[in-house]
Amino acid sequence: MAKLNLKEILQSSLRRVREFARGPQPEPFRPPRVGLALGGGFARGIAHLGVLRVLEEAGIRVDCLAGTSVGGLIAASYASGAPLDAISRRAVSTSFRDFARWSLSRYGLASNERMGRYVYEFCGVQRIEDMKRPLAICAADLLSGEAYYFTKGDLGIALRASCAYPGLFQPVEFDGRLLVDGFLIGPVPVEAARTLGAEVVIGVYLGMSGPAPRPKHMGEVLWRSFAIMQQQALERRDRSADVLISPDVREFGWDDFSRTDEMIAAGEAAAREALPRIRELLQPPAAVPARHHSAPRPA
């Protein structure tokens, strides 16, 4: 039998007494998992870049991303690991012809088949599961009326479906479904971000934020009409983003790619305004003073 060491026994007893006096120790703080949900808005989606820039400068890490329509395109570019400056330069040189071509059919005025190649060339990634950050692309099933979230599979098909704006682009057939723009399900894909494990969701909404200029053509009439529907849906939803950022992009046209710097600035301004609330959500809970325990009396 090992010889008892009185000194070790006393030291062990003293440690136990001290631990009891301190009481249970709190678990180390783990920052919540942050998800970014980017809504649609055609060229206005460039404002998303301003939001991302402010989050980066503030040191706020985005753990996962979800996007609808152009929000899906920006989310995919960022999730692929592409630097923001490179994404911004690409946005400046983008035109409608890069991802679409006029092709009149009974289901739409144009085809967005070119989008697959456009995305592959820039992101260098063909499958969603190969992204550097988890990604969900939101589309709407035109037949069932349900949301469809792409979290794996071909990135080009996912983005084509999510960007298939009703009436403009032809729907995309996939997996026995007829898919169109995800904005029909929700203006900001908050629930898609939560399916990726996001605990705090920052949403970016590019719809109505006040009266807009008089529409110039049929395209703007349609966009404005759908924007009204989105706004109503946003106000009725029970599950919303923890923080909703709404850049003021009313003055920009749906195809106004030439005003990239101004739209990025609008995104930056709205994101800076939301920073205090975002930081508050990411802080550890207020420390509760530990209750002191009385040391046990010796027998």
Side-chain angles (χ1 to χ4, degrees):
M1 180 181 293
K3 184 177 180 180
L4 294 175
N5 187 319
L6 181 59
K7 183 178 180 180
E8 290 180 357
I9 293 174
L10 290 174
Q11 288 176 340
S12 177
S13 299
L14 183 60
R15 282 197 300 270
R16 291 175 183 173
V17 169
R18 287 173 177 168
E19 289 172 0
F20 184 85
R22 285 199 304 267
Q25 299 301 301
E27 293 290 330
F29 175 69
R30 178 187 63 81
R33 184 176 174 82
V34 176
L36 189 63
L38 305 180
F42 287 96
R44 299 175 178 92
I46 293 171
H48 290 317
L49 299 177
V51 174
L52 282 164
R53 181 176 294 173
V54 169
L55 295 180
E56 278 195 356
E57 290 173 351
I60 296 171
R61 173 176 170 78
V62 174
D63 297 294
C64 56
L65 298 102
T68 292
S69 196
V70 68
L73 182 59
I74 299 294
S77 300
Y78 195 70
S80 73
L84 274 179
D85 287 344
I87 300 174
S88 299
R89 288 194 297 271
R90 182 74 169 184
V92 171
S93 61
T94 297
S95 68
F96 182 80
R97 293 180 181 178
D98 288 325
F99 53 84
R101 64 182 177 85
W102 297 111
S103 177
L104 183 62
S105 79
R106 70 178 68 182
Y107 292 125
L109 302 176
S111 166
N112 62 6
E113 289 183 4
R114 294 177 179 174
M115 183 168 289
R117 185 182 63 193
Y118 175 84
V119 173
Y120 299 150
E121 289 176 354
F122 180 68
C123 294
V125 179
Q126 292 194 3
R127 300 190 65 79
I128 296 174
E129 58 266 37
D130 294 333
M131 290 286 177
K132 294 184 178 179
R133 305 185 199 214
L135 172 69
I137 303 296
C138 181
D141 188 329
L142 195 60
L143 303 181
S144 70
E146 298 174 345
Y148 188 88
Y149 301 147
F150 289 88
T151 57
K152 61 182 180 179
D154 189 284
L155 177 63
I157 291 176
L159 286 173
R160 284 187 55 217
S162 185
C163 293
Y165 198 80
L168 176 59
F169 291 120
Q170 300 157 15
V172 173
E173 294 190 45
F174 176 77
D175 193 27
R177 302 171 184 267
L178 199 61
L179 300 174
V180 294
D181 198 311
F183 84 82
L184 292 178
I185 298 299
V188 182
V190 174
E191 292 175 8
R194 296 197 192 280
T195 65
L196 299 176
E199 296 165 309
V200 171
V201 178
I202 302 169
V204 185
Y205 175 58
L206 301 177
M208 292 175 60
S209 56
R214 185 181 180 86
K216 302 180 182 66
H217 48 70
M218 182 182 71
E220 291 192 356
V221 170
L222 288 173
W223 181 87
R224 184 66 175 168
S225 300
F226 283 130
I228 293 172
M229 294 169 55
Q230 291 180 41
Q231 181 68 25
Q232 296 298 316
L234 190 70
E235 293 175 354
R236 289 195 304 267
R237 292 182 72 82
D238 294 327
R239 294 188 64 190
S240 59
D242 297 289
V243 178
L244 186 65
I245 300 174
S246 301
D248 187 354
V249 291
R250 288 171 292 174
E251 65 177 283
F252 303 107
W254 70 277
D255 58 348
D256 211 349
F257 293 100
S258 62
R259 302 176 66 184
T260 296
D261 291 342
E262 295 173 72
M263 285 187 275
I264 290 176
E268 290 176 344
R272 288 195 184 97
E273 186 176 344
L275 269 182
R277 175 58 179 158
I278 296 172
R279 288 196 173 107
E280 179 184 341
L281 290 170
L282 302 183
Q283 291 298 313
V288 178
R291 184 174 60 185
H292 293 287
H293 298 263
S294 299
R297 294 180 180 179

